[in-house]
Amino acid sequence: MSEQRDESRVTVKTYVPAYQKDEWRDHADELDMSQSEFVRTMVQAGRRGFLEGETDDEQSPDSSATTDTTDGGDLEERVESVLTTGEYYSWDELLAAITDSIEDRLEATLADLQDRNVVRYSGRNGGYTLVDS
C-alpha cells in the first residue's frame, strides 16, 4: 500500500539579496513562469543531485511535495567535508562549495549530449534545446 502525499499548498518564505530576486524574476519571465513556479522548479531540479535512492517521480520538478530525508545521507557527508576545511562558511560559500560538483556534472552531461547531437546551444536564443528528431 503506497503512502499518501499531502498535496495541499503551503507558503515557504526565504530571504535573498535583491539582485538575486531580480535575476530570478527575469529568468521566470523568460520562461513564462510565475516566480513561485520558477523557484519551486529550480529547487526540485537542484535536489536531484542530492537525493539518492528516490524514484524519478519523487524527484520530479513538477511535484509540489518535497521529501526531506532525515538521515541526510550524502548531503550530510558533503556538508561535513566542506566544514572540516575551515572554521566558518556563509550560506552562499557553503552552497557554492556543495553545488560545485553539480555544475561540473551538468557541464559534462551537456557536452556529451551536444557531442551526440541530442542537445544544442543557441547563443541567439540564449539557451539549450533538444535537437529535432
Side-chain angles (χ1 to χ4, degrees), residues 68-132:
D68 180 25
T69 57
T70 54
D71 66 354
D74 189 44
L75 181 55
E76 277 186 13
E77 292 171 14
R78 289 181 188 189
V79 170
E80 289 176 10
S81 174
V82 169
L83 292 176
T84 60
T85 63
E87 193 170 329
Y88 292 97
Y89 284 82
S90 71
W91 173 267
D92 289 336
E93 292 168 333
L94 189 56
L95 183 62
I98 291 171
T99 59
D100 185 51
S101 65
I102 291 172
E103 290 176 13
D104 293 342
R105 291 191 327 230
L106 175 59
E107 183 177 23
T109 299
L110 285 170
D112 179 56
L113 290 170
Q114 288 178 88
D115 288 345
R116 292 187 290 135
N117 203 32
V118 174
V119 168
R120 70 178 157 85
Y121 178 79
S122 170
R124 182 177 185 184
N125 293 310
Y128 295 89
T129 189
L130 289 173
V131 173
D132 294 329

Side-chain angles (χ1 to χ4, degrees), residues 22-84:
D22 292 341
E23 289 176 0
W24 290 356
R25 184 189 59 239
D26 293 342
H27 198 178
D29 289 343
E30 288 173 19
L31 297 171
D32 197 26
M33 299 171 94
S34 70
Q35 289 180 52
S36 292
E37 181 181 18
F38 175 80
V39 171
R40 184 174 54 252
T41 300
M42 294 300 115
V43 168
Q44 286 299 101
R47 289 179 72 233
R48 283 195 185 129
F50 295 107
L51 300 175
E52 294 181 1
E54 288 191 5
T55 66
D56 287 345
D57 183 51
E58 289 172 320
Q59 293 183 26
S60 169
D62 297 330
S63 171
S64 61
T66 58
T67 305
D68 180 25
T69 57
T70 54
D71 66 354
D74 189 44
L75 181 55
E76 277 186 13
E77 292 171 14
R78 289 181 188 189
V79 170
E80 289 176 10
S81 174
V82 169
L83 292 176
T84 60

